[in-house]
């Protein structure tokens, strides 16, 4: 190591030590704040709430500080008179000096935009590699004109390539140190509207979408932190893989869910044919559910006799019809209209009863006036048997009740799904029980939305004593906020009002108010998020899109996907099919460079892509791995062959075996192409690729399987494979 480089390493280590010293001091301060707030003496409910809010805020602060321990700082920008260090959060010294700039700030953006051709005021960009509080590497780009632009390109690429070549682990890593310009532009695009991130495998769609979530939570803290961000991913393995990215970027107000997990209390495990799932995912199911609800709003064919205190009363079809029409015209949903229906029917029963018991024996006017009849209606309404009889005509329904009854009845299916063929109706029929499929989840959500809830979910307008109380808590709590990471207009630490608004606090007294936004959102189907991120979006059905759009009424979405990787026949042909009908702006952003997939692997995968879509745009690999994709012909037991190859490949890092059949050995368990979607591994071993390619969506599944590798791709087959691109494999 040269003396200049050794000196630079010592300089950077000294600065790093100072940053971690400050981080440790802030942790100690937060820990002291937690203890002090817990020990506060309280005498009133208001003081108790204030103490709980302060404790919760200190706990959040400590969680953020702990989350940025790894990779706290990653870069430096040199200007003519000052230096800026870039990191995961902004940190000021005790005296107010800016020690670290948050990568998401406007000042931080210069780190990603400066080039030799257009450096601005930047004289040098330094990439810092840090591991366990030690500087392990430095890469410089000099913008003073003394160094050739090509040398700067080599320096910038070397930092990127070094990061890309690091072995993959159990969790996805953040890319804050290596965000490229085309990625940065998407990350910082406006909050409003729908941003579609399109790109081939390995272009960084997922990473960009997650870093965009972190950026939006930073730039729009007041707007988003109270409502949180929802991230939808294709499967639980994928969610596990990305689960550490946002916490590592100091963001925890995020809920991770698969499409099958968006309805609280449902864990779909029922399997069903693809054609049934496709039917359930079609837009027509919204109309079928509406018809199924209307079918439960019954009018009797003939009057129903009711004995009430020895008097015969009747549920008369014409009056029930009038009550049904009034309930439907009320503008409320089915469950919210129950009282309208009941009151109309009961009013008729009360009139019938009054006509009998209030009749003048001499033929004069009835003795009972309107007030008397109103009291009779109240009495009749308390009669359990009468209420039960009326409820059979307009029942209170849950989404589970509605769909369970619908799918278990051929007659109800015929009534509600008259637009379907008899064969399609029969495909939806099933005996009660057996759980729910993933396609059912969107239908449950649709049913719950159309049925409505009778719960009072919001405080009425005007003065409310609990709201007044909660506002008082906030006015006190706001005066106790005493810490910030950066002395800026919008603190990176959330205030109490960011965490929960006054209405929610007043409405939820006596409950655990201080659980995270993500935890509260997970339990509430009607939760409205500030932003929604959808990965592998090409897999979502129209009904699932309806469910997700309900979860963000502002239609602020980040959508990542690749139509060539679609695993369903019902996938859209283009993004306009998904978003073109929405009354909301959407922007299409395409990533063109493959960072994950090396050039050797792309040569194989691109041949498959040409068969899927000859017009699909090709991506350019940013690197070569130096390892040719290989083919192994298994002479005997294929599992035995894979076992040996798997053990050999582990020296390079993570390994995945992808197969249409489940191969389960002590050393490994294979995954299907769809289970591997969105994931990445150092080595991928694809078993019997021709069998994958023969499925209905086979070439697309094979394309997914071939593009999971970051370093080495291997193919194992019992015979010479014939899939497109097989000619690029080197026999071993």
């Amino acid at each position: 190591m040269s003396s200049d480089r050794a000196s630079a390493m010592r300089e950077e280590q000294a600065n790093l030590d100072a940053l971690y010293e400050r981080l440790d001091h802030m942790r100690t301060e937060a820990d002291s704040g937690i203890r002090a707030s817990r020990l506060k003496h309280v005498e009133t409910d208001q003081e108790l709430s204030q103490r709980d809010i302060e404790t919760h805020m200190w706990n959040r602060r400590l969680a953020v500080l702990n989350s940025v321990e790894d990779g706290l700082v990653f870069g430096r920008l040199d200007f003519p008179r000052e230096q800026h260090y870039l990191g995961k959060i902004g940190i000021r010294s005790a005296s107010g000096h800016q020690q670290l700039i948050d990568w998401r700030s406007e000042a931080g953006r210069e780190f990603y935009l400066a080039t030799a051709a257009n450096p601005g005021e930047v004289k040098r960009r330094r990439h810092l590699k840090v591991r366990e509080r030690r500087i392990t590497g430095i890469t410089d780009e000099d913008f003073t004109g003394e160094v050739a632009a090509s040398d700067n390109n080599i320096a910038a690429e070397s930092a990127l390539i070094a990061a890309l070549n690091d072995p993959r682990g159990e969790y996805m890593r953040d890319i804050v140190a290596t965000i490229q310009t085309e990625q940065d532009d998407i990350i910082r695009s406006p909050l409003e509207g729908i941003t579609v991130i399109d790109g081939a495998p390995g272009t960084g769609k997922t990473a960009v979408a997650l870093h965009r979530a972190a950026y939006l939570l930073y730039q729009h803290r007041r707007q988003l932190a109270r409502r949180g961000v929802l991230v939808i991913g294709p499967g639980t393995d994928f969610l596990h893989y990305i689960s550490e990215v946002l916490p590592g970027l100091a963001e925890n107000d995020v809920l991770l869910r698969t499409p099958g997990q968006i309805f609280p209390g449902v864990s779909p495990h029922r399997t069903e044919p693809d054609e049934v799932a496709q039917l359930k995912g079609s837009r027509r199911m919204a109309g079928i559910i509406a018809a199924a609800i209307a079918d439960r709003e019954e009018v009797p064919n003939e009057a129903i006799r009711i004995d009430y205190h020895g008097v015969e009363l009747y549920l008369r079809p014409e009056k029930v019809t009038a009550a049904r029409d009034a309930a439907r015209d009320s503008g409320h949903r089915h469950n919210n209209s129950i009282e309208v229906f009941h009151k109309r029917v009961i009013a008729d029963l009360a009139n019938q009863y009054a006509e009998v018991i209030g009749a003048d024996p001499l033929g004069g006017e009835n003795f009972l006036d309107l007030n008397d009849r109103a009291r009779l209606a109240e009495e009749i309404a308390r009669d359990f048997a009468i209420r039960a009889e009326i409820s059979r005509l307009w029942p209170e329904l849950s989404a589970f009740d509605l769909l369970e009854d619908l799918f278990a009845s051929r007659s109800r299916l015929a009534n509600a799904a008259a637009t379907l063929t008899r064969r399609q109706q029969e495909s939806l029929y099933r005996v009660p029980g057996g759980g729910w499929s993933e396609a059912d989840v969107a239908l449950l959500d649709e049913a719950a939305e159309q049925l409505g809830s009778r719960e009072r979910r919001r405080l009425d307008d005007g003065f409310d004593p609990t709201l007044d109380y909660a506002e008082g808590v906030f006015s006190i709590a706001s005066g106790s906020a005493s810490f910030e990471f950066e002395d800026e207009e919008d603190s990176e630490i959330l205030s109490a009002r960011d965490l929960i608004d006054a209405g929610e606090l007043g409405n939820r007294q006596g409950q655990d108010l201080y659980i995270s936004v993500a935890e509260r959102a997970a339990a509430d189907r009607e939760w409205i998020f500030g932003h929604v991120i959808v990965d592998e979006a090409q897999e979502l059905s129209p009904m699932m899109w309806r469910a997700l759009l309900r979860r963000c009424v502002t239609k602020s979405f980040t959508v990542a996907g690749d139509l060539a990787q679609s695993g369903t026949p019902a996938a859209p042909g283009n993004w306009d099919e998904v978003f073109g009908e929405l009354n909301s702006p959407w922007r299409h952003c395409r990533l063109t460079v493959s960072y994950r997939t090396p050039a050797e692997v792309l040569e194989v995968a691109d041949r498959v892509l040409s068969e899927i879509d000859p017009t699909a745009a090709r991506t350019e690999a940013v690197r070569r791995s130096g390892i040719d994709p290989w083919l192994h012909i298994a002479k005997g037991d294929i599992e035995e062959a894979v076992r040996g190859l798997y053990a050999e490949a582990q020296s390079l890092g993570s390994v995945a075996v992808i197969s249409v059949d489940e191969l389960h050995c002590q050393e490994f368990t294979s995954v299907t192409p769809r289970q591997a979607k969105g994931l990445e591994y150092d080595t991928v071993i694809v078993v019997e690729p021709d069998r994958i390619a023969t499925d209905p969506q086979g070439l697309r599944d094979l394309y997914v399987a071939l593009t999971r590798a970051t370093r080495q791709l291997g193919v194992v087959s019992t015979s010479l494979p014939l899939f497109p691109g097989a000619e690029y494999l080197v026999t071993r």
Side-chain angles (χ1 to χ4, degrees):
M1 182 185 298
S2 68
S3 59
D4 288 345
R5 184 169 180 78
S7 176
M9 293 282 283
R10 288 193 296 271
E11 176 190 358
E12 296 301 349
Q13 186 62 55
N15 181 74
L16 186 66
D17 291 342
L19 280 169
Y20 274 108
E21 181 180 357
R22 177 61 179 158
L23 182 68
D24 289 339
H25 176 78
M26 294 164 72
R27 282 173 170 161
T28 300
E29 185 183 56
D31 193 57
S32 298
I34 293 170
R35 291 198 302 272
S37 60
R38 284 176 176 170
L39 293 173
K40 276 188 177 181
H41 176 70
V42 298
E43 295 183 351
T44 66
D45 288 343
Q46 184 167 318
E47 290 175 346
L48 176 63
S49 293
Q50 179 185 348
R51 185 187 69 180
D52 289 346
I53 289 171
E54 290 178 359
T55 303
H56 184 63
M57 292 166 68
W58 281 115
N59 274 311
R60 286 176 61 90
R61 175 178 172 83
L62 183 60
V64 168
L65 296 171
N66 287 335
S67 71
V68 298
E69 167 68 25
D70 294 330
L72 174 64
V73 58
F74 58 82
R76 188 181 99 179
L77 287 177
D78 291 358
F79 297 91
R81 296 182 179 84
E82 61 182 347
Q83 299 171 342
H84 290 170
Y85 281 90
L86 271 292
K88 292 184 175 180
I89 60 171
I91 293 179
R92 290 184 181 272
S93 67
S95 63
H97 170 67
Q98 188 80 58
Q99 288 183 275
L100 192 63
I101 291 175
D102 194 299
W103 68 276
R104 297 167 288 187
S105 66
E106 282 302 309
R109 191 176 194 188
E110 294 182 81
F111 186 82
Y112 304 110
L113 296 184
T115 64
N118 186 23
E121 296 184 0
V122 178
K123 300 302 180 184
R124 177 171 60 184
R125 174 166 52 207
R126 172 168 287 177
H127 302 267
L128 303 172
K129 192 167 185 179
V130 179
R131 178 168 295 177
E132 296 181 354
R133 298 196 173 195
R134 302 298 301 175
I135 295 288
T136 61
I138 294 175
T139 305
D140 283 341
E141 297 172 76
D142 194 333
F143 297 140
T144 61
E146 300 171 4
V147 179
S150 60
D151 293 333
N152 276 326
N153 290 338
I154 292 172
E157 288 178 8
S158 66
L160 174 62
I161 299 303
L164 294 175
N165 284 336
D166 281 343
R168 266 51 179 179
E170 181 181 357
Y171 298 102
M172 185 180 188
R173 301 188 302 268
D174 65 69
I175 61 166
V176 288
T178 58
I179 292 172
Q180 302 300 293
T181 301
E182 69 169 356
Q183 297 173 327
D184 188 68
D185 289 341
I186 299 172
I187 289 170
R188 297 174 191 264
S189 58
L191 170 67
E192 296 77 21
I194 299 169
T195 298
V196 179
I197 308 174
D198 194 3
T203 52
K205 299 184 296 297
T206 299
V208 170
L210 294 175
H211 286 68
R212 175 162 162 74
Y215 169 78
L216 293 176
L217 282 164
Y218 173 86
Q219 288 292 338
H220 305 277
R221 178 74 67 194
R222 302 286 182 187
Q223 186 173 349
L224 295 184
R226 193 183 304 173
R227 305 311 308 172
V229 172
L230 173 64
V231 176
I232 297 292
T236 54
D237 289 344
F238 173 84
L239 294 186
H240 175 76
Y241 183 56
I242 68 170
S243 62
E244 296 298 313
V245 174
L246 285 165
L249 295 173
E251 298 299 347
N252 294 295
D253 294 321
V254 178
L255 179 66
L256 306 182
R257 284 290 183 266
T258 68
Q261 294 173 334
I262 67 167
F263 197 94
V266 175
S267 298
H269 59 268
R270 188 187 193 111
T271 59
E272 58 191 1
D274 287 346
E275 59 269 21
V276 176
Q278 183 177 343
L279 174 60
K280 289 181 176 180
S282 64
R283 288 185 181 88
R284 68 177 77 179
M285 290 302 299
I288 289 171
I289 287 172
I293 295 172
D295 189 49
R296 302 299 297 273
E297 299 165 355
E298 299 180 10
V299 173
N301 293 324
E302 56 186 33
I304 299 174
R305 187 175 70 84
I306 297 174
D307 180 68
Y308 183 68
H309 296 317
V311 177
E312 289 186 355
L313 306 178
Y314 293 90
L315 295 175
R316 299 182 286 189
E318 67 276 13
K319 295 298 183 179
V320 173
T321 299
R324 183 191 65 181
D325 293 344
R328 288 178 175 177
D329 292 342
S330 68
H332 300 303
R333 291 172 288 179
H334 174 89
N335 285 337
N336 304 94
S337 302
I338 286 176
E339 290 305 318
V340 175
F341 180 80
H342 277 231
K343 285 179 180 178
R344 289 291 187 114
V345 174
I346 288 171
D348 180 55
L349 294 176
N351 282 330
Q352 293 179 48
Y353 191 49
E355 291 300 318
V356 174
I357 67 172
D360 183 351
L362 301 178
E365 292 185 2
N366 195 287
F367 293 132
L368 302 181
D369 59 19
L370 289 178
N371 290 331
D372 296 325
R373 292 170 188 249
R375 284 191 291 272
L376 290 178
E378 291 178 2
E379 294 173 4
I380 292 172
R382 287 193 289 268
D383 187 282
F384 176 80
I386 291 178
R387 296 283 298 193
E389 196 67 50
I390 299 173
S391 293
R392 277 194 282 271
L393 300 176
W394 191 292
E396 181 173 8
L397 297 168
S398 71
F400 303 102
D401 296 334
L402 181 76
L403 292 187
E404 191 79 74
D405 293 346
L406 175 64
F407 293 148
S409 170
R410 290 184 172 89
S411 62
R412 290 197 185 279
L413 280 169
N415 291 339
T419 58
L420 300 183
T421 66
R422 187 66 61 85
R423 181 176 178 275
Q424 288 173 323
Q425 292 177 17
E426 188 63 28
S427 72
L428 294 176
Y429 173 80
R430 67 192 192 202
V431 296
W436 303 96
S437 70
E438 185 166 300
D440 288 330
V441 171
L443 302 186
L444 287 167
D445 197 78
E446 181 73 29
E449 186 67 19
Q450 292 195 30
L451 286 167
S453 171
R454 297 183 66 190
E455 297 176 5
R456 185 183 178 203
R457 304 193 56 80
R458 295 290 181 267
L459 291 172
D460 294 333
D461 293 335
F463 177 80
D464 185 279
T466 57
L467 179 59
D468 184 62
Y469 160 78
E471 291 286 2
V473 172
F474 283 124
S475 66
I476 296 171
S478 61
S480 67
S482 60
F483 47 77
E484 293 182 348
F485 286 136
E486 295 188 27
D487 188 16
E488 297 180 347
E489 180 180 352
D490 289 328
S491 168
E492 295 181 27
I493 293 294
L494 300 181
S495 69
R497 192 173 292 278
D498 291 320
L499 303 177
I500 181 171
D501 62 36
E504 289 174 309
L505 177 59
N507 214 24
R508 301 186 185 193
Q509 281 192 60
Q511 301 180 35
D512 185 0
L513 307 179
Y514 306 105
I515 61 176
S516 70
V517 168
E519 289 173 307
R520 283 189 280 142
D524 187 352
R525 190 200 70 83
E526 296 186 8
W527 188 271
I528 302 299
F529 290 89
H531 189 75
V532 176
I533 290 175
V534 182
D535 207 343
E536 302 295 343
Q538 71 278 354
E539 305 300 330
L540 268 58
S541 70
M543 289 302 295
M544 183 55 69
W545 277 115
R546 286 175 63 91
L548 294 182
L549 287 166
R550 283 191 284 271
R551 281 157 173 77
C552 186
V553 294
T554 60
K555 298 178 184 176
S556 177
F557 276 72
T558 298
V559 175
D562 177 18
L563 297 175
Q565 296 184 64
S566 172
T568 63
N574 56 68
W575 294 114
D576 194 59
E577 291 182 24
V578 179
F579 304 112
E581 297 180 1
L582 299 180
N583 186 24
S584 182
W586 67 284
R587 62 190 73 89
H588 185 201
C589 307
R590 182 164 182 83
L591 294 171
T592 60
V593 178
S594 178
Y595 300 98
R596 178 184 72 214
T597 313
E600 297 92 335
V601 175
L602 273 185
E603 289 175 353
V604 178
D606 278 352
R607 291 297 302 276
V608 177
L609 180 60
S610 294
E611 293 292 321
I612 296 171
D613 181 3
T615 66
R618 299 298 185 269
T619 57
E620 180 181 352
V622 77
R623 65 194 173 98
R624 300 188 71 86
S625 67
I627 305 174
D628 290 326
W630 47 262
L631 166 67
H632 177 85
I633 302 296
K635 301 299 184 182
D637 181 26
I638 196 166
E639 288 193 13
E640 184 65 31
V642 173
R643 184 183 295 111
L645 295 165
Y646 181 92
E648 178 185 333
Q650 285 183 299
S651 62
L652 289 178
S654 61
V655 186
V657 176
I658 303 180
S659 170
V660 291
D661 299 316
E662 181 178 0
L663 303 178
H664 184 65
C665 303
Q666 185 176 359
E667 293 81 5
F668 68 87
T669 299
S670 67
V671 295
T672 67
R674 297 186 189 184
Q675 290 171 332
K677 191 164 290 185
L679 304 178
E680 58 184 2
Y681 309 89
D682 294 292
T683 297
V684 167
I685 300 173
V686 180
V687 180
E688 299 286 22
D690 285 352
R691 288 197 58 205
I692 297 175
T694 57
D695 286 347
Q697 292 296 111
L699 283 178
R700 295 178 187 270
D701 287 343
L702 180 59
Y703 181 60
V704 170
L706 296 173
T707 53
R708 300 304 96 197
T710 66
R711 301 184 72 182
Q712 177 182 212
L713 171 66
V715 170
V716 180
S717 180
T718 54
S719 60
L720 191 67
L722 301 176
F723 70 90
E727 63 270 23
Y728 289 99
L729 302 176
V730 176
T731 304
R732 55 177 295 181

